[in-house]
Amino acid sequence: MSDTTDLPAPTTLDIEAWTCPAPVRDRPRVVMGHGGGGALSAELVQQIFAPAYGGDVLAQMGDAAVLALGGARLAFSTDSYVVRPLFFPGGSIGDLAVNGTVNDLAMRGARAAYLSCGFILEEGVELDTVTRVAQALGAAARTAGVEVATGDTKVVEAGHGDGVFVNTAGIGLVPAGVDLRPQRVVPGDVVIVSGAIGVHGVAIMSVREGLEFGVEIKSDCAALGGLVDAMLAVTPDLHVLRDPTRGGLAAALNEIAAASGTGVVVRERAVPVPSAVANACAILGLDPMYIANEGKLVAFVPRQHADAVLEAMRAHPLGADSVIIGEAVEDHPGMVVARTGLGGTRVVDLPMGEQLPRIC
Amino acid sequence: MCLAVPGRVLDIEERDGTRMATVDFGGVVKEVCLEYLPDLRVGEYAIVHVGFALQRLDEESARQTLELFAELGMLQEEFGDAWEMAAAEAGVEPVTEAPADETPVAEVLAEEVRNR
Amino acid sequence: MKYIDEFQDPELARRLLDDIRATVTRPWALMEVCGGQTHSIIRHGIDQLLPDEVELIHGPGCPVCVTPLEVIDKALEIASRPEVIFCSFGDMLRVPGTGRDLFQVRGEGGDVRVVYSPLDALRIAQRNPDREVVFFGIGFETTAPPNAMTVHQARKLGIGNFSMLVSHVRVPPAIEAIMSSPSCRVQGFLAAGHVCSVMGVGEYPELAERFRVPIVVTGFEPLDILEGVRRAVRQLERGEHTVDNAYARAVRPEGNPAARAMLEDVFEVTDRAWRGIGVIPDSGWRLSSKYRDHDAEHRFAVGGIRTVEPAECRSGEVLQGLLKPHECEAFGTLCTPRTPLGATMVSSEGACAAYYLYRRLDLPAAKAREASPVV
């Protein structure tokens, strides 16, 4: 159908002529979704980075790489931090830069030992701001028990950055007998989440979208090394850990399902969502399962250890609200399915790109 | 279409000649334009869409609807009659009480709604 | 949240379902008009819980899905201009125009901003007097009053750098068009509750009578939808066809008179093309001549943009209820939310995307195709 607005209006619809256009397939440029931790991010890695770099270690595609070096197993990870605002309820880009990388190492079972820290500063940003970020970063490192061992600073012209960008890389030792990776997941594994989800993302959004909360919603940003140690003390035989950051719980579960080749079933009512998070999501049309967390982990644990691990998690301050939310199953391999409160089911897909407020 | 959520008015003020309210959505507070519900008062609930209050929520209707749902189980054998719906819509209290042993969740809920 | 949590109670849902099962004696096809209802149905798995006799057809009530390609192209053209700050609801950024979308325009340097409310766009205009601020005014009768008020305020406050690209659509002409189609299978409608919160129910008795079809005004929570289905099925079983309000807590018969008055002042009814469907007479609103100064189509002279919609997607049939999303050959293979062929796969409340996101599990054929994707 062409030039529809020029056609005489039909009195009845011609169904045979109903059409819909073919849209954008290949994007020639980067869009925000490429950094959203969802499907577009995965494409970027799989189609551009991995083929260009090659190598077996990169193919692990974990939160951190585990490397054999001089008889030891090292976990090694890097992450860049671009967050607006730089300071938000419950933390700052400095806290994120430490805890994010420390947690990436912890998800492989490693206690972070040393960090590198690179600052990219925009010309014109106040030194006071840089100071506050650096102090927050230093304090977070001390709390996490990690030392900033090397660093770098670059300045870009005004307008070519967003105030402060931070990159950190970290290394840590993986204890003997610990082998955390999604390929070890088997049907029957119990899925545990370490507490309420969606809090960090909603805390950030509250600033951006002008939402206020009766009860203050603070980012859950925290270093999870201690919690992971407590879990590994119960048994080194945990199968996989993941911190559900960008893309939220949905992305973390999808990555594990895809890499392990098992299905995952989640009981929706068991997933801990604070009412303020649920209600903020209701207003903005978002799903809490896709909202970022910075101080939570999701664990796939062999069934026989589940109760003991859960108990150990609950005994730790950062895991006090840990709950079992589901299990790995043989059905629908690679797919995450939620049982809804009413008893129906739905597929929980990998998010597409960045989460945007919607009206419908 | 039309993601709209119920919220309760906390306070009201004029801004730039526009009637605005702070509205509480279960612990989340947001600015809302009241121009379309000028007589909405503090404490009342409204359906809010893209920052505008569009319709007042009627507590009595909500209560009746939930009561009707709670009574469905026991009225089932009489389906075909519209009396229970008519009664609910007219605001008449239902004449039958549910058996105590049946589906406590719904009963508790209906009771809660009555007491609210 | 009050008025939401109570309407998600599983036990009450079971009672409603029992009642529907006890009432239904033969197959009925109901259309939920609103995409928000489609989203809720799939999100909560309601269609799986209903008896087999009740078929829910997902209607064309997703404003993102039906906004015509030509209007998207106009938006892309305007958003690309260096002097423009283009503001939109988040939903519209992913919708493809010819060759690109608003995300892409932003990637190319366009100033495209997501806003929660049209009033946010007006504030941006006030704060940036040296820029042209354009708001993408899409949506049904629920979204039209906020957009109308925003244009009205711009005029009242003399905010000359604010304009709106308007592509509003109206529900009743769409119902009429669907029912007038010779191949229509719809036997009852769940009307869009929030549209009726604004417009009231006055437009529906004539349609119910003319097409002898029950129209039940329905809300969005699981219990609301089940109640809408229950009342529609009850009418159909009795051979009735009246307008019934199952969402009385938010819908009054007269709607919201203040909002309706504003709509009449700011907008005028026009024919509108629905993406994937075609022109439906009197189915849209455009800015009335009084507000021409704030009409982005005039300000940026994009009236000349005419776009041909290529015939590659069967979403029109899906919107009409003639085809289930998974029955389309392209579903889940050529056409996914990442590589949508049509707008029904773009919006999270589009029928195809809803099926893709939540229903793939039940679709062995689609799953098999996914295992060996064509792309």
Side-chain angles (χ1 to χ4, degrees):
Chain A
M1 181 179 311
S2 65
D3 276 356
T4 47
T5 47
D6 288 342
L7 289 177
T11 48
T12 59
L13 294 175
D14 176 6
I15 289 123
E16 297 306 311
W18 285 9
T19 59
C20 197
V24 194
R25 286 293 189 76
D26 303 307
R27 297 164 182 278
R29 290 168 194 266
V30 170
V31 295
M32 289 303 291
H34 282 119
L40 285 174
S41 301
E43 282 174 10
L44 201 61
V45 172
Q46 285 157 13
Q47 293 168 12
I48 296 182
F49 296 134
Y53 306 158
D56 295 337
V57 176
L58 185 65
Q60 294 174 5
M61 296 282 176
D63 284 343
V66 172
L67 320 163
L69 202 65
R73 285 193 307 151
L74 281 180
F76 180 34
S77 181
T78 184
D79 212 334
S80 298
Y81 299 86
V82 292
V83 62
R84 188 164 44 186
L86 294 174
F87 300 88
F88 46 82
S92 72
I93 190 169
D95 301 277
L96 287 180
V98 170
N99 295 335
T101 298
V102 164
N103 290 347
D104 283 347
L105 299 175
M107 295 309 112
R108 301 304 300 269
R111 193 67 185 256
Y114 297 102
L115 290 185
S116 74
C117 178
F119 272 77
I120 297 171
L121 305 173
E122 185 183 7
E123 179 186 28
V125 72
E126 292 181 8
L127 278 177
D128 179 51
T129 303
V130 179
T131 307
R132 286 170 63 208
V133 170
Q135 284 174 347
L137 197 149
R142 284 187 290 279
T143 303
V146 63
E147 188 179 333
V148 180
T150 180
D152 175 56
T153 309
K154 293 284 186 292
V155 177
V156 294
E157 286 174 31
H160 290 248
D162 195 12
V164 179
F165 297 150
V166 184
N167 171 278
T168 55
I171 52 169
L173 282 172
V174 182
V178 172
D179 182 18
L180 300 173
R181 51 194 169 90
Q183 291 78 11
R184 295 193 60 219
V185 170
V186 292
D189 280 3
V190 171
V191 183
I192 304 175
V193 67
S194 68
I197 64 157
V199 185
H200 172 77
V202 164
I204 298 279
M205 252 180 284
S206 69
V207 182
R208 287 193 197 151
E209 305 295 334
L211 295 180
E212 291 169 25
F213 295 93
V215 187
E216 191 183 11
I217 289 285
K218 294 204 298 206
S219 168
D220 56 359
C221 186
L224 296 170
L227 177 62
V228 172
D229 285 351
M231 296 167 71
L232 288 172
V234 175
T235 170
D237 187 32
L238 307 177
H239 283 167
V240 69
L241 302 178
R242 205 44 83 101
D243 57 337
T245 54
R246 289 172 312 172
L249 189 59
L253 294 176
N254 267 282
E255 284 163 18
I256 292 169
S260 68
T262 61
V264 175
V265 171
V266 171
R267 285 188 306 281
E268 208 165 56
R269 292 213 149 192
V271 177
V273 181
S275 66
V277 170
N279 293 338
C281 285
I283 293 170
L284 299 174
L286 304 175
D287 185 336
M289 296 275 275
Y290 294 99
I291 305 292
N293 311 275
E294 289 292 345
K296 296 295 177 325
L297 63 81
V298 58
F300 282 59
V301 180
R303 184 163 291 276
Q304 67 270 26
H305 299 308
D307 288 343
V309 170
L310 185 64
E311 196 179 328
M313 292 174 75
R314 286 180 172 168
H316 192 279
L318 292 177
D321 298 323
S322 297
V323 284
I324 293 171
I325 59 168
E327 61 183 352
V329 295
E330 281 179 29
D331 295 342
H332 50 82
M335 205 183 273
V336 181
V337 170
R339 300 247 177 273
T340 73
L342 294 188
T345 57
R346 64 170 177 128
V347 176
V348 179
D349 213 8
L350 193 62
M352 268 302 297
E354 60 177 324
Q355 298 291 299
L356 295 172
R358 59 182 181 91
I359 60 155
C360 60
Chain B
M1 86 185 80
C2 318
L3 185 87
V5 282
R8 189 171 67 94
V9 177
L10 295 177
D11 60 58
I12 297 171
E13 63 169 353
E14 293 278 323
R15 205 175 309 146
D16 288 344
T18 306
R19 199 171 163 77
M20 299 293 290
T22 44
V23 173
D24 173 44
F25 302 91
V28 184
V29 176
K30 194 143 177 65
E31 289 290 296
V32 167
C33 177
L34 283 197
E35 284 288 306
Y36 287 132
L37 287 177
D39 54 350
L40 195 68
R41 289 191 300 270
V42 169
E44 288 187 308
Y45 279 81
I47 278 283
V48 175
H49 175 64
V50 301
F52 284 74
L54 290 181
Q55 187 55 272
R56 178 183 271 102
L57 275 157
D58 182 38
E59 180 142 23
E60 181 63 15
S61 293
R63 188 184 64 80
Q64 287 169 8
T65 304
L66 286 168
E67 281 181 9
L68 170 68
F69 296 164
E71 285 146 16
L72 273 179
M74 66 184 174
L75 292 168
Q76 226 173 61
E77 64 271 20
E78 303 190 49
F79 107 89
D81 291 332
W83 70 268
E84 78 277 17
M85 211 183 294
E89 275 165 5
V92 178
E93 281 297 315
V95 285
T96 333
E97 290 297 328
D101 59 342
E102 198 188 272
T103 55
V105 176
E107 291 311 318
V108 167
L109 194 139
E111 186 60 33
E112 267 179 25
V113 173
R114 276 185 209 105
N115 295 337
R116 204 164 275 153
Chain C
M1 210 183 299
K2 187 175 173 183
Y3 295 113
I4 289 188
D5 298 342
E6 312 93 290
F7 290 88
Q8 298 191 349
D9 182 76
E11 173 55 31
L12 294 180
R14 188 190 64 76
R15 291 182 178 218
L16 283 159
L17 282 162
D18 285 348
D19 192 82
I20 293 166
R21 271 189 217 104
T23 307
V24 72
T25 63
R26 56 197 161 114
W28 298 111
L30 307 178
M31 175 177 276
E32 86 276 4
V33 172
C34 175
Q37 291 164 336
T38 305
H39 192 82
S40 188
I41 287 163
I42 307 282
R43 169 78 181 68
H44 295 280
I46 291 169
D47 53 339
Q48 297 168 310
L49 301 170
L50 287 168
D52 292 342
E53 289 89 344
V54 180
E55 180 190 0
L56 292 177
I57 296 172
H58 308 316
C62 160
V64 175
C65 295
V66 302
T67 299
L69 180 63
E70 186 172 294
V71 175
I72 307 284
D73 281 350
K74 288 174 182 175
L76 294 170
E77 161 66 22
I78 294 170
S80 299
R81 302 194 183 198
E83 76 274 22
V84 167
I85 300 173
F86 194 86
C87 300
S88 169
F89 297 127
D91 319 42
M92 296 304 292
L93 267 68
R94 248 186 270 285
V95 182
T98 306
R100 55 185 189 155
D101 58 20
L102 284 168
F103 274 124
Q104 198 71 45
V105 168
R106 198 160 74 173
E108 290 160 8
D111 193 346
V112 178
R113 301 187 192 181
V114 173
V115 293
Y116 165 77
S117 164
L119 285 180
D120 296 340
L122 193 61
R123 281 188 207 110
I124 291 172
Q126 280 177 305
R127 283 199 294 267
N128 296 274
D130 53 337
R131 303 280 299 277
E132 282 290 333
V133 174
V134 182
F135 180 74
F136 200 175
I138 57 111
F140 282 83
E141 291 97 325
T142 318
T143 319
N147 291 349
M149 177 64 75
T150 305
V151 175
H152 176 80
Q153 295 272 2
R155 187 166 177 270
K156 193 172 90 178
L157 300 170
I159 304 173
N161 63 328
F162 178 86
S163 61
M164 198 176 282
L165 179 63
V166 173
S167 183
H168 279 299
V169 276
R170 302 170 59 232
V171 166
I175 290 182
E176 185 177 355
I178 287 164
M179 290 311 297
S180 301
S181 167
S183 45
C184 175
R185 295 197 299 119
V186 179
Q187 292 164 298
F189 283 94
L190 308 184
H194 292 146
V195 163
C196 297
S197 292
V198 171
M199 301 303 292
V201 297
E203 297 171 288
Y204 296 110
E206 190 268 330
L207 290 171
E209 184 56 40
R210 174 146 56 108
F211 297 108
R212 307 186 65 76
V213 38
I215 300 179
V216 181
V217 177
T218 302
F220 297 81
E221 299 309 318
L223 298 192
D224 291 318
I225 287 165
L226 289 171
E227 175 67 353
V229 169
R230 190 179 79 93
R231 292 199 192 190
V233 166
R234 195 165 275 235
Q235 281 202 41
L236 287 165
E237 290 284 341
R238 290 172 179 163
E240 296 169 0
H241 49 85
T242 62
V243 175
D244 190 9
N245 182 5
Y247 195 36
R249 69 182 182 279
V251 174
R252 311 210 177 341
E254 71 281 9
N256 182 324
R260 291 172 62 187
M262 181 64 77
L263 288 172
E264 278 192 23
D265 179 56
V266 175
F267 295 131
E268 59 192 24
V269 169
T270 180
D271 295 350
R272 172 93 51 215
W274 294 45
R275 189 171 192 168
I277 296 179
V279 173
I280 301 178
D282 292 339
S283 68
W285 273 314
R286 64 180 173 209
L287 286 170
S288 62
S289 53
K290 186 172 158 190
Y291 291 89
R292 195 186 176 92
D293 286 350
H294 294 281
D295 188 339
E297 286 208 43
H298 284 282
R299 186 170 299 190
F300 298 95
V302 289
I305 292 179
R306 286 278 185 273
T307 307
V308 178
E309 300 202 8
E312 291 189 19
C313 173
R314 303 177 72 187
S315 66
E317 292 163 78
V318 171
L319 291 173
Q320 168 78 345
L322 298 174
L323 186 75
K324 288 271 185 185
H326 64 279
E327 290 163 1
C328 173
E329 298 78 21
F331 179 85
T333 56
L334 283 171
C335 186
T336 69
R338 209 169 320 159
T339 57
L341 276 179
T344 46
M345 188 56 102
V346 173
S347 164
S348 64
E349 72 174 42
C352 294
Y355 254 77
Y356 185 85
L357 292 177
Y358 300 131
R359 277 289 85 84
R360 270 179 299 157
L361 190 60
D362 315 323
L363 307 171
K367 236 167 69 180
R369 278 202 298 272
E370 252 185 325
S372 53
V374 179
V375 264

